Amino acid sequence: MAVADRPDNSARISGGEEKKVAVHGAATVRFEHRHGETRLATLYHHDPLRVLMPTPRRGDLPIAVLATTSGGMVGGDRMDIALSVGTGAKALITTQAAEKVYRSTGADCRIDTTLSVEGGAWLEWMPQEAIVFEGSRLRRLTRIDLSGDGRAIAGEMLVFGRAAFGETVTRGLIRDAWEVARDGRLIWADALHLDGDIAETLAHPAGFGGAAACATLLHAAPDAARHLDAVRALAEPLEGARIGATALDGLLVVRILGGEARAVRLAYAALWSGLRNEAAGLPTRLPRLWEV
């Protein structure tokens, strides 16, 4: 059922009966360090997920790009994503475009992402934003499993409604959860849960304060805390977004809120590019897809 626009999660069949349309996409990507360099070791994808392997920029990491060919997600759809880097490997994985989560007539759509980072490895998982439409129902879980001194940067961004259409999100379900474990021990768990009539929470000064978008950026590493001051310095000149950063137990957590999605995206990208340079000496430039 791959189509350009999927505004509903039902289809008419003979006799006027409605049949639920749902897809279960999957993608598995693994990089390993072989013969002195990082190489792709495992690649699997199932509709509507596709994995693209563009040529990285000179001096940067091997890159994989996930694309959703269905045009978006509706209630009942599911995506399972497994990303891993073996001992000593380094890679960057992102998405081709923003993910659209359409209105649901009742069923939830689900995105489960697992990142596995082995000793001495580095993984960046920085997907583009998910746009949640009015009445959509999204459950998303991102789990990071690290071994030894494995390091990762990971992020997620949510946009509440289609600003270009004047849409605001007043109802639906948004559950965005994180779990981070090192050597099998859970070191951090967090969940944003908005259900039912969510307009008040998004508007309340003690909640989202009218934000049109939010983002979370994580850096997991044994020495993550030492980059806290650098991240705060990177955040200081950024305009149009409220940014907070803290560090705990081998984890650096950055939160971003903004009245405009563009401001949040720019802050998210700037902090990511600066952090990868600060923590791993990687170029501050981002994949070309982020410049479109």
Side-chain angles (χ1 to χ4, degrees):
M1 297 300 297
V3 292
D5 187 22
R6 306 178 66 212
D8 203 349
N9 63 338
S10 60
R12 189 71 63 180
I13 60 175
S14 60
E17 180 186 355
E18 287 192 347
K19 180 180 179 181
K20 181 178 168 184
V21 175
V23 297
H24 190 166
T28 300
V29 183
R30 178 174 173 81
F31 289 92
E32 294 181 357
H33 188 73
R34 299 175 180 174
H35 308 294
E37 61 182 29
T38 296
R39 299 173 181 266
L40 180 67
T42 303
L43 176 60
Y44 169 81
H45 49 214
H46 182 277
D47 287 339
L49 281 175
R50 285 286 183 270
V51 181
L52 312 176
M53 303 297 298
T55 301
R57 289 181 169 183
R58 185 182 299 273
D60 214 330
L61 302 179
I63 181 171
V65 177
L66 273 62
T68 305
T69 61
S70 60
M73 299 183 70
V74 298
D77 288 358
R78 178 166 181 168
M79 304 291 181
D80 291 326
I81 301 167
L83 313 172
S84 62
V85 282
T87 302
K90 298 178 180 181
L92 185 159
I93 305 175
T94 185
T95 56
Q96 185 181 39
E99 186 70 81
K100 300 179 184 69
V101 186
Y102 293 108
R103 175 181 63 86
S104 170
T105 57
D108 300 343
C109 64
R110 187 176 185 99
I111 304 173
D112 287 340
T113 304
T114 300
L115 314 180
S116 297
V117 186
E118 297 179 12
W122 171 275
L123 176 62
E124 294 175 62
W125 165 239
M126 295 296 294
Q128 301 198 48
E129 61 269 29
I131 304 172
V132 290
F133 288 31
E134 168 71 349
S136 63
R137 298 186 62 83
L138 171 66
R139 291 182 181 272
R140 182 167 65 180
L141 171 63
T142 304
R143 180 176 174 90
I144 307 175
D145 288 306
L146 305 117
S147 299
D149 59 352
R151 299 180 295 159
I153 291 180
E156 295 283 9
M157 179 176 168
L158 286 168
V159 177
F160 306 116
R162 296 166 292 174
F165 292 88
E167 180 183 68
T168 57
V169 177
T170 64
R171 60 183 177 84
L173 170 70
I174 303 171
R175 181 172 178 82
D176 202 12
W178 289 88
E179 295 178 357
V180 181
R182 184 175 295 277
D183 295 326
R185 181 177 70 89
L186 185 69
I187 61 174
W188 189 69
D190 179 78
L192 165 67
H193 188 93
L194 303 173
D195 197 0
D197 182 2
I198 62 179
E200 182 179 357
T201 303
L202 292 177
H204 200 285
F208 284 77
C214 68
T216 297
L217 177 65
L218 304 180
H219 175 44
D223 63 347
R226 76 182 183 91
H227 304 299
L228 178 59
D229 289 341
V231 167
R232 287 175 171 169
L234 288 168
E236 189 172 350
L238 299 176
E239 298 181 353
R242 290 173 285 162
I243 303 169
T246 190
L248 66 160
D249 201 10
L251 191 66
L252 178 60
V253 182
V254 183
R255 306 285 200 185
I256 308 169
L257 282 175
E260 294 185 358
R262 176 175 171 79
V264 173
R265 178 184 168 91
L266 289 174
Y268 178 74
L271 291 168
W272 168 27
S273 61
L275 182 56
R276 74 194 304 260
N277 178 259
E278 164 72 21
L282 293 167
T284 55
R285 62 178 183 263
L286 299 183
R288 292 184 180 90
L289 287 166
W290 276 81
E291 297 174 355
V292 176

